[in-house]
């Protein structure tokens, strides 16, 4: 579903992603863990086409995301092509970024109507179904300022899903939440894993959660995958020194 092929990304002289080769299969849930600054967010942002890459190609469903075929060669994608490809990727961040002047329902309907060209009726049906799924249907007419952090994040997840993305990206979606509402958001993600066959990439600091729901866990270090494996391999029997150090440091922090 997703393939990074020899991807490099730098900011000036700083190499943030180095020769990254990384595949995610259809329906797979992959967690990305690693120290701050190791390039986790950048990987998601390049996939969301919010960042341009310096070298390599990213494919989604076998189609180049960052490049398009022209005259038998791959050339950097133009804005129109990117806009079309971008609709296959959904993303939720730490900060919810809901449109403040719109209700929960309007937030979910906006993309499907404006970007996908759905009728209001279709967009409303789809959005209500998703708000129901995330347990927010009763709050559909509330503005974000009237909702708690956990509730806003659940609306943000519904809003991203309303675009019917093929791949969902989550970047520390529980980091800004009060501890007592983290569960309501992780439960929605858990539901997506068990009931919907969505391809997902999740950056998280919640090791227990990653261990619980992932098919695979990747430990990033210095813009590379230092080690990856099933949750029991990576958490239960890490091979690399850096992985061991990181895991024992986060364990101490808990
Ligand atoms: N827009 C930017 N300009 C310059 N440096 C950046 C920018 N975004 C991220 N970086 C740097 O890239 C590195 C990786 O950042 P990031 O992907 O956010 O790491 P992580 O999500 O793992 O904490 C960091 O050293 C960060 O300072
Ligand atoms: Mg980050």
């Amino acid at each position: 579903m997703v393939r990074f092929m020899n991807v490099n990304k730098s900011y000036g002289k700083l190499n943030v992603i180095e020769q990254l080769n990384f595949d995610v299969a259809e329906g797979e849930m992959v967690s990305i863990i690693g120290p701050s600054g190791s390039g986790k967010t950048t990987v998601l942002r390049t996939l969301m086409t919010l960042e341009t890459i310096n070298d390599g190609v990213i494919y989604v469903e076998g189609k180049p995301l960052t490049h398009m075929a022209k005259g038998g060669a791959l050339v950097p994608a133009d804005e129109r092509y990117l806009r079309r490809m971008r609709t296959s990727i959904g993303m939720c961040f730490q900060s919810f970024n809901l449109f403040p002047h719109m209700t929960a329902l309007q937030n979910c309907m906006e993309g499907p109507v404006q970007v996908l060209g759905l009728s209001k009726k279709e967009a409303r049906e789809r959005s209500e179904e998703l708000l129901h799924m995330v347990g927010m249907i009763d709050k559909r007419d509330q503005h974000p300022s009237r909702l708690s952090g956990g509730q806003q994040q659940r609306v943000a997840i519904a809003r991203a899903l309303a675009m019917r993305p093929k791949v969902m990206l989550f970047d520390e979606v529980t980091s800004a939440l009060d501890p007592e509402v983290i569960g309501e958001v992780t439960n929605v993600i858990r539901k997506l894993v068990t009931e919907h066959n969505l391809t997902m990439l999740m950056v998280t600091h919640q090791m227990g959660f990653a261990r619980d729901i992932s098919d695979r866990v990747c430990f990033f270090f210095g813009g590379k995958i230092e080690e990856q494996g099933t949750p029991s391999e990576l958490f239960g029997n890490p091979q690399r020194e850096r992985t061991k150090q990181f895991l024992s440091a986060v364990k101490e922090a808990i």
Side-chain angles (χ1 to χ4, degrees):
M1 182 59 81
V2 174
R3 165 162 290 174
F4 283 74
M5 245 178 81
N6 299 320
V7 171
N8 285 298
K9 168 72 188 168
S10 53
Y11 293 106
K13 282 193 180 145
L14 179 72
N15 290 331
V16 180
I17 302 179
E18 279 197 72
Q19 288 293 92
L20 179 67
N21 289 294
F22 179 43
D23 289 351
V24 183
E26 185 171 359
E28 197 179 16
M29 163 50 121
V30 178
S31 288
I32 297 178
I33 61 170
S36 180
S38 58
K40 306 179 300 294
T41 293
T42 306
V43 166
L44 299 193
R45 286 179 58 85
T46 59
L47 193 49
M48 197 65 207
T49 71
L50 294 170
E51 301 285 349
T52 52
I53 56 178
N54 301 89
D55 207 2
V57 185
I58 302 173
Y59 294 92
V60 175
E61 275 198 308
K63 281 189 240 128
L65 174 71
T66 45
H67 293 68
M68 56 189 196
K70 201 172 188 177
L74 283 184
V75 298
D78 62 22
E79 195 44 48
R80 206 171 119 223
Y81 180 88
L82 282 179
R83 221 177 301 137
R84 185 152 40 88
M85 288 300 290
R86 207 175 276 150
T87 60
S88 52
I89 319 277
M91 185 161 182
C92 287
F93 307 83
Q94 185 175 334
S95 55
F96 333 115
N97 292 321
L98 293 173
F99 307 121
H101 58 292
M102 291 183 189
T103 64
L105 180 63
Q106 287 165 342
N107 262 281
C108 295
M109 288 173 61
E110 183 69 6
V113 170
Q114 299 298 336
V115 181
L116 303 180
L118 259 62
S119 71
K120 286 219 162 141
K121 181 171 175 288
E122 286 171 298
R124 174 184 291 267
E125 279 168 10
R126 184 186 283 196
S127 299
E128 286 183 339
E129 199 177 296
L130 287 164
L131 286 172
H132 182 76
M133 198 268 294
V134 301
M136 287 298 294
I137 192 70
D138 294 343
K139 303 272 185 194
R140 84 192 99 181
D141 297 322
Q142 299 286 350
H143 284 78
S145 59
R146 302 287 300 272
L147 303 174
S148 72
Q151 291 173 333
Q152 288 185 56
Q153 193 59 289
R154 285 186 284 150
V155 173
I157 293 173
R159 179 177 65 171
L161 292 171
M163 298 295 283
R164 297 257 162 95
K166 301 199 171 106
V167 183
M168 261 306 283
L169 312 177
F170 296 101
D171 193 358
E172 295 185 19
V173 289
T174 57
S175 298
L177 300 178
D178 292 331
E180 70 271 20
V181 300
I182 287 177
E184 59 188 64
V185 174
T186 52
N187 281 340
V188 168
I189 298 176
R190 197 183 295 273
K191 202 160 157 185
L192 287 175
V193 172
T194 52
E195 295 172 20
H196 303 260
N197 195 34
L198 202 62
T199 308
M200 290 187 264
L201 253 176
M202 174 175 81
V203 173
T204 186
H205 290 308
Q206 290 181 275
M207 299 302 146
F209 184 51
R211 183 173 194 154
D212 229 23
I213 68 160
S214 310
D215 296 309
R216 178 157 50 109
V217 182
C218 294
F219 172 62
F220 268 69
F221 194 93
K224 288 191 180 130
I225 298 176
E226 176 81 13
E227 182 169 354
Q228 58 179 318
T230 62
S232 57
E233 283 167 355
L234 198 100
F235 291 112
N237 188 21
Q239 300 297 309
R240 312 272 295 184
E241 209 43 52
R242 281 175 178 148
T243 320
K244 291 178 194 171
Q245 277 169 12
F246 175 77
L247 290 176
S248 74
V250 279
K251 218 170 275 159
E252 275 160 30
I254 291 171

